[in-house]
Amino acid sequence: GQQVMQIPQYQHVQEGEDFTTYCNSSTTLSNIQWYKQRPGGHPVFLIQLVKSGEVKKQKRLTFQFGEAKKNSSLHITATQTTDVGTYFCAGLRTGGFKTIFGAGTRLFVKA
Amino acid sequence: NAGVTQTPKFRVLKTGQSMTLLCAQDMNHEYMYWYRQDPGMGLRLIHYSVGEGTTAKGEVPDGYNVSRLKKQNFLLGLESAAPSQTSVYFCASSFPGGDVTGELFFGEGSRLTVL
């Protein structure tokens, strides 16, 4: 079945350092979505990537979708304490209906 | 506009008891999903529905049943609860757009403990 792997599982950074999480799918994806979940909260949608090689930016966040549409990354520049939480990627297989989530990367930011 | 509402938010069950989690959305979304979240394992899809009257199995469907009798509601049932079903359950909905699904809107979660 479709699998979405995400690394690292945890990341501790000093405030101001950069952070990257990576997502890899065992199958080609129609799209990939990224979500953020604050501690004790529910996942909240950040962005969706659809096109091969697509790059999107949201302020300090940069999202990339691989050329083969099987991998993606989220990069945060100059982390802040408000970035704390778990970041999930979620992929939809081509022709499928199921959105499958990676295990998430939990980000800790030390002030 | 409430979005996605889950009830109950907390529940403690004894092994073998049954219960139903209710998810309601007021966004007229076609797709609805039930996920469970366990530490270190992310969100795993239990069942999903692409429209009223239709349901399908996700990654971890065993021990659960679902129904989508009305477009706005998606029910998750546990017929005989087991300790392995202790988890946080999230319902989500989305509106499909072309060849891809749209963003998922999540409820606040239901924390279930099975003793």
Side-chain angles (χ1 to χ4, degrees):
Chain A
Q2 180 186 351
Q3 290 188 330
V4 177
M5 311 300 291
Q6 192 172 351
I7 58 170
Q9 188 174 5
Y10 301 97
Q11 184 81 58
H12 293 257
V13 300
Q14 196 75 30
E15 189 173 27
E17 292 182 337
D18 292 355
F19 160 76
T20 304
T21 173
Y22 301 90
C23 188
N24 286 284
S25 170
S26 57
T27 58
T28 302
L29 301 172
S30 285
N31 67 359
I32 195 142
Q33 298 172 343
W34 285 91
Y35 292 80
K36 178 182 179 181
Q37 184 178 26
R38 295 183 186 276
H42 60 277
V44 175
F45 176 81
L46 293 175
I47 208 160
Q48 177 169 278
L49 305 171
V50 178
K51 299 177 182 177
S52 170
E54 190 170 14
V55 178
K56 288 188 176 181
K57 293 188 176 183
Q58 289 180 349
K59 297 182 180 179
R60 294 179 294 104
L61 277 62
T62 301
F63 305 84
Q64 293 187 326
F65 200 10
E67 294 289 341
K69 299 186 74 174
K70 296 179 76 172
N71 58 75
S72 181
S73 65
L74 158 60
H75 179 81
I76 302 178
T77 303
T79 55
Q80 300 175 358
T81 54
T82 54
D83 295 326
V84 164
T86 301
Y87 293 84
F88 292 98
C89 63
L92 179 69
R93 189 178 61 187
T94 302
F97 297 100
K98 300 184 290 187
T99 298
I100 302 298
F101 280 74
T105 297
R106 185 160 185 184
L107 174 63
F108 299 86
V109 180
K110 185 177 181 180
Chain B
N1 190 342
V4 179
T5 303
Q6 293 181 229
T7 54
K9 289 185 171 44
F10 301 94
R11 185 74 186 270
V12 178
L13 289 177
K14 293 181 179 179
T15 297
Q17 287 185 318
S18 63
M19 76 158 297
T20 300
L21 296 175
L22 171 63
C23 177
Q25 53 95 2
D26 60 3
M27 297 173 283
N28 201 33
H29 284 170
E30 290 291 336
Y31 291 7
M32 295 188 75
Y33 312 80
W34 276 107
Y35 290 90
R36 61 177 288 174
Q37 185 172 35
D38 303 294
M41 302 190 74
L43 293 147
R44 292 183 292 169
L45 182 62
I46 304 171
H47 286 281
Y48 66 101
S49 168
V50 299
E52 181 180 318
T54 69
T55 63
K57 294 180 180 180
E59 302 171 274
V60 289
D62 294 343
Y64 305 95
N65 56 74
V66 289
S67 64
R68 184 106 182 262
L69 299 179
K70 293 183 178 181
K71 184 177 183 178
Q72 63 267 33
N73 295 337
F74 195 28
L75 277 65
L76 177 71
L78 286 71
E79 290 188 347
S80 180
S84 61
Q85 294 178 304
T86 294
S87 188
V88 179
Y89 291 86
F90 285 100
C91 176
S93 70
S94 70
F95 190 83
D99 292 331
V100 301
T101 60
E103 68 176 275
L104 271 61
F105 292 82
F106 282 86
E108 294 187 350
S110 298
R111 183 175 294 274
L112 175 65
T113 301
V114 183
L115 302 176

